Amino acid sequence: MPPSSTQRAAVSSFVSITGTTDKIATKYLKNSGYKVNEAVDAYYQTTGGVSAPPAKDSQLNKLFDSLRNDQEDAKDTLGADSSMAYLNAIGVDLEGASLFLAMELVQAPTIGEITREGFVGGWKAQPGVDVKIESQKQYFKRLIDSMSKDRALFRKVYRYAFVVGRERDQKALFLDNSILYWEMLFKKPGQLWVGNTSGINWLSEWITFLREKWTRSVNRDMWNQTFEFAVKSTEDESLSFWSEDGAWPGVIDQFVEWYREKSMMDVDA
């Protein structure tokens, strides 16, 4: 009798945990009545807690090695050229939000560098993706398509942009880089920073304000709070959610004051 869907799922779970074969998984699962935890415990007791490296790890390592340039890249790193070639291969727009989506997925330390650990760990964590460039490309396209609608995903990508966008020895982003990254993130396939009611282009107003009034770098708090302000100002163009007694960074308080004064001048004109 062929295995049931429940039994097949148990075999799949056993293999993903132990890294062993379907045949060995079936043997231990049959002995435990297809109770995965009991079967896994019995397997590790029999093998002394030692198992072969999971198959997917091995495959991902091989794929990573195939992407490396032996003459230019360190053993566990894809350098700038190799990284860009790989990102292009899976459909990343190097001038858009999908760049940061990819950087977050593989936990890249900087733009233009991908580590073996981040590559293997990042792709291993994605369910149902075969270890092939074409499969990764198709999965990545689905992520791109969901980014404009999935706020939790976009927030995660946005926050990682600060991590990956800094110079190695810096704790903050240069202002010019921050502006560039905001322009990349707050456009499709990212989420627009435009008012839902009258269509105020908040991103344009924010950048104009920064270029006129702000000369300092952008620290993590300013970066993260800008996202939260973007969400609220998109939904409430009157900025009624803002108050002087709120916990917004000073730069956002200054922006609100600047924008309201500017708006009054526009009305008077």
Side-chain angles (χ1 to χ4, degrees):
M1 180 182 295
S4 67
S5 59
T6 301
Q7 290 170 339
R8 289 196 299 271
V11 170
S12 178
S13 295
F14 187 100
V15 170
S16 68
I17 293 169
T18 63
T20 190
T21 64
D22 287 2
K23 183 177 180 180
I24 293 175
T26 301
K27 171 188 171 183
Y28 281 92
L29 285 163
K30 281 183 176 179
N31 291 338
S32 70
Y34 281 88
K35 297 175 182 177
V36 175
N37 289 339
E38 290 184 16
V40 169
D41 288 343
Y43 171 78
Y44 281 126
Q45 288 172 8
T46 303
T47 60
V50 178
S51 64
K56 193 169 185 180
D57 283 37
S58 177
Q59 294 169 355
L60 284 166
N61 274 292
K62 288 180 180 178
L63 178 58
F64 183 87
D65 285 330
S66 75
L67 300 170
R68 286 179 51 250
N69 182 324
D70 289 334
Q71 296 180 337
E72 297 180 3
D73 299 336
K75 178 177 180 293
D76 295 320
T77 303
L78 299 183
D81 290 344
S82 299
S83 292
M84 294 304 108
Y86 170 68
L87 295 174
N88 279 316
I90 64 169
V92 175
D93 175 7
L94 300 179
E95 297 181 353
S98 66
L99 171 63
F100 297 111
L101 176 63
M103 296 290 94
E104 195 283 327
L105 192 155
V106 299
Q107 293 293 290
T110 62
I111 294 174
E113 179 181 319
I114 298 173
T115 65
R116 182 186 300 273
E117 180 181 9
F119 180 87
V120 173
W123 280 113
K124 187 171 67 170
Q126 309 310 313
V129 184
D130 291 338
V131 186
K132 299 176 182 177
I133 294 295
E134 186 58 34
S135 295
Q136 293 180 351
K137 182 178 181 178
Q138 292 174 2
Y139 179 80
F140 191 71
K141 184 180 185 303
R142 293 196 295 272
L143 283 181
I144 292 173
D145 292 342
S146 66
M147 189 163 49
S148 64
K149 303 179 286 290
D150 187 336
R151 182 166 292 169
L153 172 62
F154 184 62
R155 177 184 277 108
K156 181 169 67 171
V157 170
Y158 176 94
R159 290 195 168 199
Y160 199 76
F162 179 86
V163 176
V164 78
R166 291 175 300 176
E167 300 293 334
R168 285 187 180 275
D169 58 343
Q170 299 294 317
K171 293 184 177 180
L173 289 171
F174 295 120
L175 179 59
D176 286 345
N177 287 352
S178 297
I179 290 173
L180 173 63
Y181 300 157
W182 278 317
E183 290 175 332
M184 293 168 66
L185 287 158
F186 287 118
K187 69 175 183 180
K188 296 293 184 180
Q191 297 189 1
L192 302 182
W193 189 2
V194 175
N196 287 338
T197 304
S198 60
I200 297 173
N201 188 335
W202 286 117
L203 175 62
S204 177
E205 298 289 354
W206 174 245
I207 291 173
T208 299
F209 160 76
L210 292 173
R211 285 178 169 153
E212 287 183 9
K213 303 293 185 179
W214 192 257
T215 58
R216 295 155 59 186
S217 59
V218 176
N219 63 25
R220 187 187 294 268
D221 182 60
M222 177 178 168
W223 179 262
N224 289 344
Q225 288 301 309
T226 298
F227 176 87
E228 304 306 328
F229 183 81
V231 170
K232 289 183 177 295
S233 59
T234 296
E235 298 170 349
D236 178 5
E237 292 170 282
S238 70
L239 305 181
S240 62
F241 61 86
W242 176 88
S243 73
E244 293 182 359
D245 299 327
W248 296 104
V251 63
I252 289 180
D253 294 338
Q254 294 172 41
F255 169 70
V256 173
E257 181 181 356
W258 172 88
Y259 177 75
R260 287 178 171 172
E261 289 179 357
K262 174 178 173 292
S263 298
M264 290 178 61
M265 291 173 61
D266 290 343
V267 170
D268 292 340

